[in-house]
Amino acid sequence: MPCAMGVEPLLAEELTPLLASLNLLVIEEKGGVLVRSGQADGRAPIDLAFDLSSPQATTLIEACALINLHSRLAQRVLWRVAFGPYQTEDQLYMLGRCVIWPEWMRVDQTLRVDVTARHSPLKSLNFAALRIKDAVCDSLREELGERPDVDTRHPDLALHLHLDGQAAHLYVDTSGEALFKRGWREDKGEAPLKETLAAAMLAAAGWKGRPEDGTLLDPCCGSGTIAIEAAQIACGIASGLQRRFAFEKLLPFQPHQARWQQLRQQARAQQHPPRVRIVTGDVSFRMTDFATRNAERAGVLHAIEFKTADALQRPAPDETGVMMFNPPYGERIDPKGTGAGGRQAPQAERAPREDFIDRDASDFFQRLSSHWKKQYSGWTAWVLSPDMKLPSAMRLKESRRVVMFNGPIECRLFRFDLVKGSLREVPPAARPDASAGSEAQG
């Protein structure tokens, strides 16, 4: 299953205990994790044509359901159904015909094929998708006498074809909508952080909602993604419990509906009150209200303390804790959401959230670090930024930096240890270059 670059070891760490009872291998790959049965090295050829009613298939079906229901880091759960070398579109067609498609869908269901490629010799990815679609439709027509329709928006069977320089990989998408869509979000605010990225930030920090993890604070909550994700973790709420998945309509999963309902019921039974404080809010009343409504829909309003406050003035809620911070820009830097001169800035004048450290933002971060010196000694702060010079702008020395991607944007998650008594500042000579310090993937 794919995940954001750099998150692979975190996803493997998440899935290993989840699937432990199924005796499956969890193997890190570039851009994702492979889950399979087989030998320990994970490199033996896979029999993709096994009987879908076999014990092996039953185990993988349950794993697929568990990952969709519980994974906070995976982007999708893809089931590989065909793999092989290719040089032409006709070879892709033959690859598609290797799958017994009447075992996967009915003729009254709909189909879509998406294609991605890296170093593919083919000139037209649209034609590649067409040949896979033809393979599926011809298989169903020969077996059942009809061809299914195509639905590019809400298909019953979504296929993903990935082409590299030599091999084609064909997958069934068992998730449907991307897994960052947890099923609760309506009020997005401005440039919302994806739930999978918020979960990756928390995982990288090692925060799991345990009492020993300490109070979690997001002083600039935006639409509340970090706090809501943290609250669901702290309450044992499965990430996919409020949504539906594509596999629920696929034929191989139909005999397992009772088991699927049992897994959902087990997930509900695992929920519990939070054992740690989660505190958040924003300088903007509007954003705090957005976040509050989102938390209510996510079922965690009781687990989060909301307060509209300026991050430059907010006192520490406890003696120690973890701050998780996706820095705001433009309007949300200004006290109480006002523009220059204390009045509401016109929409056209507000800086978009994607713009990073300009002169005003640099001043904000310097004032923020000064506030941390006075109020947050003993805390650990994690700050996500696409700007590699953020520690220099804050005049702080990071103790760790983790590579993360916010969509296509390469970022760093910086850790600052706010040591009691004083902060570890960046020496003046080192401030122009903030590249010092080790980088950790994932």
Side-chain angles (χ1 to χ4, degrees):
M1 56 265 350
C3 64
M5 289 180 61
V7 179
E8 298 93 339
L10 296 175
L11 178 56
E13 181 182 351
E14 176 191 54
L15 297 186
T16 298
L18 179 65
L19 304 178
S21 63
L22 300 178
N23 296 316
L24 295 172
L25 300 175
V26 179
I27 306 163
E28 289 181 39
E29 296 185 319
K30 184 177 181 180
V33 166
L34 173 67
V35 174
R36 54 152 297 179
S37 56
Q39 299 301 315
D41 64 4
R43 301 186 185 280
I46 303 173
D47 180 9
L48 297 169
F50 59 77
D51 183 356
L52 286 172
S53 63
S54 67
Q56 180 188 16
T58 298
T59 298
L60 293 176
I61 284 170
E62 179 160 337
C64 176
L66 282 169
I67 297 168
N68 274 299
L69 181 60
H70 288 281
S71 178
R72 314 196 83 90
L73 301 175
Q75 294 174 335
R76 294 180 181 276
V77 181
L78 303 178
W79 183 306
R80 192 168 74 175
V81 293
F83 167 79
Y86 77 102
Q87 287 295 319
T88 67
E89 291 85 354
D90 287 341
Q91 288 175 311
L92 293 179
Y93 175 84
M94 297 307 299
L95 183 71
R97 290 302 303 265
C98 293
V99 183
I100 306 174
W101 293 111
E103 293 184 351
W104 283 93
M105 69 180 299
R106 304 187 308 268
V107 292
D108 62 340
Q109 293 181 308
T110 55
L111 167 71
R112 185 184 70 207
V113 181
D114 296 312
V115 184
T116 58
R118 183 176 177 83
H119 306 305
S120 172
L122 302 184
K123 295 181 179 180
S124 172
L125 299 186
N126 288 335
F127 190 44
L130 179 63
R131 296 304 283 152
I132 293 295
K133 187 263 295 181
D134 288 342
V136 178
C137 291
D138 290 349
S139 174
L140 287 164
R141 183 183 58 188
E142 291 176 8
E143 291 287 331
L144 304 175
E146 295 183 51
R147 293 167 60 99
D149 291 330
V150 172
D151 184 343
T152 58
R153 298 189 63 186
H154 303 291
D156 296 305
L157 176 67
L159 300 178
H160 290 257
L161 175 67
H162 178 70
L163 306 173
D164 60 31
Q166 296 179 329
H169 311 251
L170 183 60
Y171 303 90
V172 169
D173 180 2
T174 71
S175 300
E177 288 193 307
L179 291 182
F180 77 85
K181 297 183 179 181
R182 309 293 202 215
W184 54 259
R185 185 186 294 278
E186 289 182 15
D187 296 320
K188 295 184 178 180
E190 297 172 5
L193 191 75
K194 285 186 177 180
E195 287 77 354
T196 44
L197 179 55
M201 294 167 64
L202 292 164
W207 195 93
K208 299 180 180 179
R210 304 164 298 190
E212 60 267 30
D213 295 330
T215 296
L216 184 86
L217 168 66
D218 179 1
C220 294
C221 68
S223 58
T225 308
I226 293 174
I228 291 171
E229 199 71 18
Q232 288 200 333
I233 293 171
C235 294
I237 298 176
S239 57
L241 202 52
Q242 291 183 241
R243 55 162 286 172
R244 304 300 296 268
F245 301 97
F247 72 79
E248 295 178 65
K249 296 182 179 180
L250 298 178
L251 295 184
F253 293 83
Q254 296 308 302
H256 305 276
Q257 286 298 316
R259 178 56 176 160
W260 167 233
Q261 295 307 318
Q262 185 181 29
L263 293 175
R264 287 173 55 86
Q265 186 57 40
Q266 288 175 356
R268 293 189 187 96
Q270 292 170 1
Q271 297 180 24
H272 54 78
R275 303 184 181 100
V276 65
R277 291 181 71 190
I278 299 170
V279 184
T280 194
D282 202 281
V283 70
S284 164
F285 287 102
R286 178 173 62 89
M287 298 306 295
T288 304
D289 183 56
F290 276 169
T292 302
R293 294 204 299 267
N294 282 335
E296 185 174 15
R297 280 188 291 272
V300 291
L301 184 59
H302 67 287
I304 304 174
E305 300 173 33
F306 285 96
K307 182 180 180 181
T308 299
D310 187 348
L312 299 176
Q313 300 175 6
R314 180 189 289 271
D318 279 308
E319 290 188 6
T320 61
V322 175
M323 196 183 319
M324 193 63 62
F325 193 38
N326 178 34
Y329 317 109
E331 175 193 2
R332 287 179 53 218
I333 284 179
D334 298 321
K336 297 297 179 285
T338 60
R343 59 180 175 82
Q344 183 81 3
Q347 184 70 32
E349 296 177 9
R350 297 177 197 161
R353 190 174 172 83
E354 290 78 2
D355 291 347
F356 202 65
I357 297 180
D358 56 17
R359 182 177 62 185
D360 293 337
S362 180
D363 177 67
F364 168 79
F365 286 116
Q366 289 182 25
R367 292 163 61 198
L368 184 65
S369 64
S370 177
H371 176 62
W372 285 356
K373 287 182 184 181
K374 299 173 184 177
Q375 295 285 338
Y376 287 85
S377 61
W379 279 65
T380 300
W382 295 82
V383 185
L384 181 71
S385 172
D387 195 310
M388 306 305 140
K389 295 183 179 180
L390 177 68
S392 178
M394 299 190 73
R395 299 179 181 176
L396 296 176
K397 177 69 175 72
E398 77 275 19
S399 61
R400 187 182 175 203
R401 52 170 67 188
V402 182
V403 179
M404 288 193 171
F405 280 78
N406 189 355
I409 303 172
E410 183 176 348
C411 299
R412 295 295 184 274
L413 182 63
F414 296 100
R415 170 175 169 163
F416 301 107
D417 297 316
L418 312 183
V419 181
K420 284 186 178 294
S422 65
L423 288 174
R424 292 190 291 175
E425 294 198 15
V426 177
R431 287 175 189 167
D433 181 10
S435 61
S438 61
E439 288 196 350
Q441 292 284 342

